[in-house]
Structures are given as structure tokens and as C-alpha cells.
Amino acid sequence: MSQLDRAELGRRGADAAARLGRSGVELVALTFVDNSGISRVKAVPVARLADAAAWGVGASNSFDFFLCTDTIAPGPYSLGPVGDLRLHPDLDALTPLAAQPGWAWAPALRYDQEGAPHPQDSRALAAAAVSRLASRGWSARMAFEIEWVVADSDGVPVPGPAYGFSRLTGNSAYLRELVSALDSQHVDVEQLHPEYAAGQFELTVAAADPVRAADVAVLIRETIRVVGTHHGLRTSFTPKFAPGGVGNGGHVHLSLWEGARNLCSGGDGEFGLTDTAEMFAAGIFTRLPALLAVGAPSVVSYLRLEPHHWAGVFTAWGWENREAPLRLVRGPVGRRETAANLEVKCFDLTANPYLVVAGLLFAGLAGVAAGTRLPAPVEVDPGSLSAAEAAAAGVRRLPRSLDEAVAAFEADDVLKAEFGAELATTLMDVRRGEVAELGGLSDEELCEVMRWLH
């Protein structure tokens, strides 16, 4: 929506409002995800939806500078209390909320008062990356894995062993309501299971257009949260619920397509990658240090990024290597033509999913443009290599702190240019603000502060 057709938007909004009203919807939540990964919201009565679609809903541009703790960071592009943006709901994504009777939801695009797209609108940036891909004759399919910890009202994780059936059966009514709600919201759930950490579950969904995949990630998390409240449960998506053990990841699956052909399968390259898919993957792989500032964007993210935790903390890639930050998932024989995909394992759910989409697609396109190639795959846990073996294989640690990831992003001219000066600068202003506010906390204090924010 680069040019606002207010009359058409108003007409469509009125039609949507009438449909929602007939189904009992009274309020519509309009969300955007800020640079700290928090979903922010304005809500309108359904009777105001047509006006909101055509003219938007006011919101301060200071949200670009919000830290996850709601402190507002300074920055060269900040206008402080001055100015206003308009939130326009994407009517194509409008969804009645099954777990919140009387409510619907729509992701919003942000425009200025003149009707021009806001340069820090992450959803618009993701759409621009998808359009760039399409201009080359390619498309992408993406999906976010959602991991979360379920706790009782006192914050104690629900019991049961890792991957244990007893953890599932003990929470079966909660999980059934969750999947039922997601199904009613047209979210295609593929799998649900207890995970490794205490009280942890994981949900995977079918791959979709990248912007839709990011929308779904937002919708799933809020659905999980509200269904949990129905059962007296608390929900945490933090990368590290408590010091020690493993944390919640936000793995991203991505496949590259040319028409109906999956370029991650059927090629002559390593494990069946086509040349194009290998260069695309290499573009992502070589930029992982910088991409961590987008996909692992919190101080607490780096408590999760430890060796031997299946988090992917070394510069290694491989086939089905769960200790590599980039792995190729081939799928079973007979389905590889459609199933093969790349998985990025070093990201988590404190990330803005729209920025993740944009970062991965722009990095992949840069790899193709430069003819970048992947190194030899690593077929063991890279953390088990001796210093000499790691040096020979080019294996080293990814950034160990948010400070290091920020430095890598700021040294990457491609990502900075694609994000634009205003967004790229503000994004790192927010990262530095969170380092200044949270970086001096102990691990225990940091986990406590972050536990319920995302």
C-alpha cells in the first residue's frame, strides 16, 4: 500500500465492519511490532473500522525508540513528543479472535500525516524485501517456530519431563483450546509438542508468504497468551526463563522458489542445493554476526546462545546439524521437492519478525548478487572441534553479546543500506539503550526483568 486510496480503503473497511458486526465483533486491535520486539496496540470499535482504514489511527513516532522496558531512548532521528503517525489496518489480514470473543485483530502499516509510508515501518520493509525477491523471479516461503514456557500463577513452570507425554496430558485442555483457536483463525498448525526446558512447548506451522509468516508469528503468540489466562497459566517467550538450562528459540525456516520449483532441492550442489539457493544461503550465513542484532536483539538473548544447547553459536552450517546456526532440512525421500528448506537457529522471539524477514531476504539477495559460496559443511558438533580443527574449518564463535552484534551490524554496509539510514540508526540506538539499562544486571536479575515482557 504505497499510495493511499482513501475512498477505496473506506469502502473496504465498511464492508469488513459489517461482516465483523454480524459475527459479534465489537472491537478491533491494530498492532505493530516496535524495534525492541514488543507488539504495541491501538484498538477501535468496529463501527470506526472504515474510518481507521481510510484515515488511520494516531500513534506517536516515539514508539520507534521504545526499549522493551518502555524507557524511550534518544537518537538523531527522534522527534521526542513532536509529530504523529497513522496506523492503517491491513484489511486483507483482518482476523476475528477465537479466544477473545467480540474482538478482531489486524496488523497495521504506519504512514505519516501526508500519507507517505513511515521509513521505520518494519512490516513495509518486509514487504519491500519480498517485492525485491519477486523482481528477480523468485519467491520465498517462511515459517517461525514458536517456543514458550507455561507457568502457574506463581511463575513455576508446569511439571513433566522433556518431550514427555505426561506434560502434554497434564495440559491437554489448554493445548486443545489453543489449537482450536488457531485453527479458527486460519493458522495452519503442523505440530505441537513438549520441549526440552522445564514447562516448555513448541508449535510449528506451515510455511507461507514471508509477510504472512511474520503476521502469523504475532497472532500465534497473542493467542497463546490469552488461552493461557483462561487456564490460570502464565506465558513466557523469553530466550532465557531462568539461568542455566536451555531457552526459548525463535527458529526461522525459509525456502527459495522459482515458480513452482523449490530451489533448495534437486540441484547439483551440496545436499541437493541449486546454485541460486546455495548463494542465497551463503549470503545469510556470512552475515549471521550482523543479523544477530536483528534476530537475537536482546541482552538476554546471549544467555541462550551457548555451545551444546542446540542454539547454533558457531560459524558452521550443515545438513540436519542442530548445533549449526544454519542447517539444511532436506525432508524425507518423496517429499524433498517441496519440503527442503533452510533453518536459522540462532534467533529468538524477542525479535521483531518483520525485521527478521527483511534481514534474511536482503542478506540472501546480497549473497546471490555477490556470487557468495558456502564453506564445507560441518558434520559434527562444532563445539567439539579442537582449536586447530576449528581454525582449519573456519569455525569461530558468533557474537557473545549484544554489543558485539551491534558492532557487526554497523560494519555491514549492505544491511544498513537496505534498512535505510533512519531505521538502521534507530534500531542500533535502541540496542545500545537496552545494553546501557540491562547490561549490568546479573543473570538472575536479567531473567527476572525479561521473563514476562515478550
Side-chain angles (χ1 to χ4, degrees), residues 35-37 68 238-239 292-305 348-351 401-403 405 431 434-435 438 446 450 454:
N35 289 327
S36 72
C68 63
T238 184
L292 281 182
V294 176
S298 302
V299 176
V300 73
S301 297
Y302 296 82
L303 298 186
R304 171 182 168 266
L305 293 176
D348 64 59
L349 296 177
T350 63
S401 68
L402 184 54
D403 271 331
R431 301 290 179 266
E434 293 193 357
V435 170
L438 303 173
L446 181 59
M450 298 295 296
H454 289 85

Side-chain angles (χ1 to χ4, degrees), residues 46 130 152 235 270 302 362 370 380:
V46 72
V130 171
D152 64 20
T235 302
E270 198 79 52
Y302 296 82
F362 283 133
V380 300

Side-chain angles (χ1 to χ4, degrees), residues 84-440:
D84 199 30
L85 298 172
R86 310 299 295 180
L87 308 180
H88 289 259
D90 183 341
L91 297 173
D92 291 329
L94 189 62
T95 304
L97 296 175
Q100 294 172 250
W103 284 83
W105 164 84
L109 289 162
R110 294 188 292 165
Y111 286 78
D112 66 19
Q113 298 279 52
E114 307 302 316
H118 179 46
Q120 296 206 45
D121 188 327
S122 57
R123 193 168 184 268
L125 183 70
V130 171
S131 295
R132 180 82 62 80
L133 202 63
S135 72
R136 299 291 305 272
W138 303 320
S139 63
R141 299 179 189 176
M142 296 181 70
F144 289 78
E145 290 184 10
I146 308 297
E147 293 183 346
W148 73 103
V149 170
V150 178
D152 64 20
S153 58
D154 293 323
V156 179
V158 296
Y163 307 99
F165 196 15
S166 64
R167 189 187 300 176
L168 187 147
T169 54
N171 296 277
S172 59
Y174 157 69
L175 296 171
R176 180 183 178 187
E177 182 182 342
L178 170 60
V179 174
S180 177
L182 293 173
D183 182 65
S184 296
Q185 293 165 184
H186 306 291
V187 174
D188 189 1
V189 175
E190 291 192 332
Q191 183 174 283
L192 172 68
H193 65 270
E195 254 287 351
Y196 190 86
Q200 188 181 44
F201 290 90
E202 178 183 307
L203 184 142
T204 57
V205 298
D209 166 86
V211 176
R212 167 66 179 168
D215 287 343
V216 166
V218 173
L219 180 58
I220 288 173
R221 288 168 60 179
E222 297 313 314
T223 304
I224 291 171
R225 206 185 311 273
V226 73
V227 171
T229 65
H230 296 172
H231 293 263
L233 300 171
R234 301 186 75 181
T235 302
S236 177
F237 299 99
T238 184
K240 204 71 165 180
F241 187 84
V246 300
N248 291 316
H251 306 171
V252 185
H253 291 262
L254 181 155
S255 55
L256 185 67
W257 294 70
E258 188 170 49
R261 185 190 179 195
N262 182 0
L263 299 179
C264 293
S265 179
D268 297 325
E270 198 79 52
F271 312 122
L273 287 172
T274 63
D275 283 350
T276 300
E278 182 191 342
M279 291 185 289
F280 195 91
I284 293 170
F285 180 77
T286 58
R287 288 191 157 77
L288 282 176
L291 286 168
L292 281 182
V294 176
S298 302
V299 176
V300 73
S301 297
Y302 296 82
L303 298 186
R304 171 182 168 266
L305 293 176
E306 291 292 333
H308 317 304
H309 283 58
W310 292 13
V313 301
F314 293 95
T315 56
W317 84 281
W319 167 58
E320 299 290 12
N321 188 340
R322 286 177 169 80
E323 275 290 345
L326 181 69
R327 72 171 181 135
L328 176 65
V329 182
R330 297 184 74 187
V333 172
R335 279 196 168 181
R336 286 179 179 167
E337 293 77 9
T338 56
N341 67 89
L342 301 164
E343 181 185 20
V344 180
K345 294 181 63 65
C346 50
F347 292 174
D348 64 59
L349 296 177
T350 63
N352 176 326
Y354 303 103
L355 293 179
V356 168
V357 164
L360 290 175
L361 295 184
F362 283 133
L365 284 166
V368 176
T372 311
R373 294 290 179 174
L374 288 167
V378 175
E379 299 178 351
V380 300
D381 178 349
S384 69
L385 298 175
S386 69
E389 290 169 333
V395 172
R396 60 188 184 281
R397 276 292 296 269
L398 289 171
R400 297 170 184 252
S401 68
L402 184 54
D403 271 331
E404 290 183 26
V406 167
F409 183 92
E410 291 186 322
D412 193 301
D413 291 338
V414 169
L415 290 178
K416 286 193 302 182
E418 297 291 8
F419 277 48
E422 186 168 330
L423 176 55
T425 301
T426 301
L427 199 58
M428 295 305 111
D429 289 337
V430 168
R431 301 290 179 266
R432 278 189 289 266
E434 293 193 357
V435 170
E437 184 167 320
L438 303 173

Side-chain angles (χ1 to χ4, degrees), residues 16-29 43-49 94-97 100-105:
R19 290 194 303 274
L20 291 174
R22 287 192 295 270
S23 65
V25 171
E26 299 177 39
L27 290 156
V28 182
V44 297
V46 72
R48 297 288 297 170
L49 182 60
L94 189 62
T95 304
L97 296 175
Q100 294 172 250
W103 284 83
W105 164 84

